[in-house]
Amino acid sequence: SPDALAALKADLSGRVVLVEEPARVRKRSRDFFWYSPVLDAELKGLSGDLVAEPASEAEVIAVAAACARHRVPLTVRGGGTGNYGQAVPLHGGVVLDVSGLDRVEWQRDGAVRTGPGLRMNRLDALLAEGGEEIRMHPSTKRTASIGGFVAGGSGGIGSVNYGQLRERGNIRAARVVTLEPEPRVLELTGDAVNGVAHAYGTTGIVTALEMPLAPVHPWIDVIVAFDDFLTAAEVGLAVGRDPAITKKLITPIAWPLPQWFTPLRAQCPPGQAILIAMVSEASLPAFRARAARAGGTITLETPLDDSPGHTPLYEYSWNHTTLQVLKTDRSWTYLQSLHPADGLMESVAEMAALFPDEIVPHLELIEFAGRLTYAGIPLLKFTDAERLNHIIEAHEARGVSIANPHVYTLEDGTRHKRAETDQLGFKRLTDPMGLMNPGKMRTFTPAAQGA
Ligand code: FAD
């Protein structure tokens, strides 16, 4: 209510930087939900009432306490690059921009402890001095924060080696501020980190993270062109399984998607599928041999460069593949699928043939439960929600599971349609009044209104 907001502002003024100018607040209440025509219709125009910019954990605690005392919703924001409206406040209130919490505390024993607001490319630049890098990052590495990745992302470049973010050991520890009149600070380790991982900021404010690291390699960006998509996918899988090749990204993409990769036109021959890869420099001879044996033509081979003014190939992979297409044609949207590791290539071939006029395949090789398999982020020609649901059901009926990117609640976006039990229980401890990003965990009801 306006009274509660006024009281909250009075509480915080002079203690935490607050932004109230409506245009600036609206801008920082948005993310990339417009990717989905369904979410665009549902979330367009929603906004918080003000933005708080804490510079320390103590200031985070002050905001959390004020929100709890005055019953004002709070939505945490990192880089604002989520694509399911994760950072969009459904019920107004405070947008807590944590980008000021960007300090690395230490790097040792193959891990780093850092504030959540640090951008991942900045984090990797700091880590490289010690010969290490984060195990995996989303294709939005240059704009997204490490805290937003943990709370809103799922995996990406590096997942071919380490699996998705939520696989055991990929987050070592998280420090969490609860949303209560007297906020507590919890240190989560081991499996307890699942309470906040991919919880969309509904279960507490992450103020520090301990992430395991990987050795840094001189990565080479490579494109190989193939006459057909299935050959590209088969070579990708073979490269993934080849212990002589150190890799970080393996992405088969069917034509006509590369036709929208305008700056790469010369490297994407018309009518051909491509395989995008990041391999270590020392692995290039083994990689080239595999590509050549399968009839592929290498059209690009260049050291990874993601400094300003350059576009790394990873910005054509994962959800950036979708973005590159949407830049010119908004009639497309996408799905997120997971093929079974058993009968993988049969499954890939079956799905590539099933909706030839509506779906164009794009795969990402990942480790899943200890085995290599393909995740898919196919482009989908959008007609309406009913058709979309039919296509999703057709995938699931064939053993290809779908994480629906056209919904904003945690439960509906996962394969099992429920909040993980550890997250629902954890929310009762960290946010008993249900003020954190309300509406995103739909199975939660605050105790006062519960059954
Ligand atoms: P935000 O969007 O700011 O926040 C994401 C969620 O985390 C929100 O619910 C927010 O409330 C919560 N949150 C943020 N910080 C905290 C905190 N400190 N404590 C508690 N909750 C918090 N995702 C992938 O996993 N892999 C990809 O490859 C990938 N590619 C993408 C490509 C494009 C073009 C786009 C638009 C998105 C992509 N995404 C991908 C989604 C998104 O970019 C990533 O998940 C990214 O890591 C989110 O980070 P962020 O800082 O932008 O988070």
Side-chain angles (χ1 to χ4, degrees):
S1 72
D3 287 352
L5 261 181
L8 173 127
K9 277 191 253 177
D11 239 20
L12 292 175
S13 96
R15 299 165 70 200
V16 181
V17 173
L18 301 178
V19 176
E20 295 181 61
E21 194 194 316
R24 287 174 67 198
V25 178
R26 265 201 306 276
K27 202 167 162 217
R28 277 198 273 168
S29 299
R30 291 174 57 83
D31 62 12
F32 281 71
F33 63 80
W34 56 264
Y35 251 51
S36 155
V38 180
L39 290 180
D40 195 43
E42 288 172 346
L43 301 179
K44 201 163 47 192
L46 293 178
S47 177
D49 295 298
L50 61 94
V51 178
E53 297 179 346
S56 64
E57 187 186 78
E59 292 186 13
V60 168
I61 291 172
V63 178
C67 285
R69 285 184 198 141
H70 304 293
R71 301 278 200 279
V72 173
L74 177 149
T75 303
V76 189
R77 179 181 184 83
T81 67
N83 45 318
Y84 331 118
Q86 292 106 307
V88 177
L90 301 180
H91 300 284
V94 172
V95 172
L96 185 78
D97 183 334
V98 293
S99 41
L101 303 182
D102 62 351
R103 207 172 56 83
V104 169
E105 287 176 45
W106 48 252
Q107 175 181 0
R108 62 172 184 249
D109 303 330
V112 65
R113 188 169 174 101
T114 175
L118 190 60
R119 279 203 326 264
M120 277 174 275
N121 66 333
R122 178 90 188 102
L123 175 58
D124 257 359
L126 295 169
L127 294 170
E129 293 165 21
E132 292 173 309
E133 59 184 26
I134 42 176
R135 281 185 171 181
M136 70 190 74
H137 63 80
S139 58
T140 44
K141 181 186 188 187
R142 299 206 282 181
T143 40
S145 68
I146 185 73
F149 184 43
V150 164
S154 48
I157 296 93
S159 287
V160 66
N161 299 316
Y162 294 101
Q164 288 175 298
L165 196 53
R166 272 179 62 102
E167 287 211 22
R168 180 172 279 149
N170 280 337
I171 305 165
R172 280 216 191 149
R175 190 173 162 91
V176 178
V177 170
T178 64
L179 207 99
E180 299 172 282
E182 308 281 337
R184 288 165 299 141
V185 182
L186 312 174
E187 183 78 22
L188 310 178
T189 56
D191 286 350
V193 297
N194 288 333
V196 286
H198 204 74
Y200 294 5
T202 58
T203 56
I205 304 158
V206 175
T207 53
L209 284 165
E210 238 172 84
M211 304 296 287
L213 302 176
V216 85
H217 290 277
W219 297 113
I220 309 295
D221 275 351
V222 190
I223 299 179
V224 195
F226 291 93
D227 286 340
D228 75 278
F229 173 69
L230 291 177
T231 308
E234 262 161 26
V235 172
L237 181 59
V239 168
R241 287 179 174 156
D242 188 341
I245 302 177
T246 304
K247 52 255 157 187
K248 196 170 174 185
L249 177 69
I250 294 178
T251 310
I253 299 175
W255 186 262
L257 300 185
Q259 85 179 1
W260 283 288
F261 299 177
T262 318
L264 295 178
R265 197 152 275 168
Q267 287 78 30
C268 298
Q272 298 219 299
I274 58 168
L275 178 67
I276 288 180
M278 282 168 69
V279 298
S280 75
E281 193 174 16
S283 306
L284 270 177
F287 180 87
R288 289 184 193 130
R290 281 210 174 269
R293 224 177 300 144
T297 308
I298 294 187
T299 60
L300 179 79
E301 221 182 70
T302 184
L304 167 70
D305 187 352
D306 53 6
S307 60
H310 297 265
T311 308
L313 276 191
Y314 67 68
E315 289 187 5
Y316 293 88
S317 75
W318 288 85
N319 239 320
H320 264 79
T321 312
T322 321
L323 180 64
Q324 300 297 351
V325 176
L326 292 182
K327 274 182 189 169
T328 38
D329 189 345
R330 289 277 185 102
S331 68
W332 291 90
T333 185
Y334 69 117
L335 282 181
Q336 298 176 143
S337 64
L338 185 70
H339 290 275
D342 286 320
L344 176 59
M345 286 313 301
E346 290 77 6
S347 171
V348 165
E350 182 184 16
M351 298 322 294
L354 199 58
F355 297 101
D357 301 326
E358 290 168 279
I359 285 207
V360 187
H362 153 211
L363 301 172
E364 296 290 347
L365 194 67
I366 63 167
E367 190 168 284
F368 188 80
R371 299 174 68 187
L372 281 177
T373 192
Y374 272 121
I377 313 182
L379 268 284
L380 171 83
K381 198 83 189 170
F382 185 72
T383 37
D384 57 38
E386 196 184 327
R387 181 68 187 161
L388 175 70
N389 288 329
H390 168 76
I391 292 175
I392 290 176
E393 280 160 24
H395 279 74
E396 293 195 322
R398 288 164 181 80
V400 179
S401 58
I402 297 283
N404 188 350
H406 303 282
V407 291
Y408 58 75
T409 62
L410 262 175
E411 290 88 344
D412 298 311
T414 58
R415 278 179 276 277
H416 21 75
K417 312 286 177 227
R418 57 178 171 79
E420 309 269 336
T421 30
D422 46 5
Q423 294 186 342
L424 194 55
F426 190 58
K427 186 167 173 71
R428 299 204 183 285
L429 292 177
T430 54
D431 180 27
M433 290 178 276
L435 292 170
M436 289 210 64
N437 209 354
K440 299 291 170 61
M441 192 191 276
R442 67 169 163 72
T443 38
F444 175 83
T445 31
Q449 301 158 26

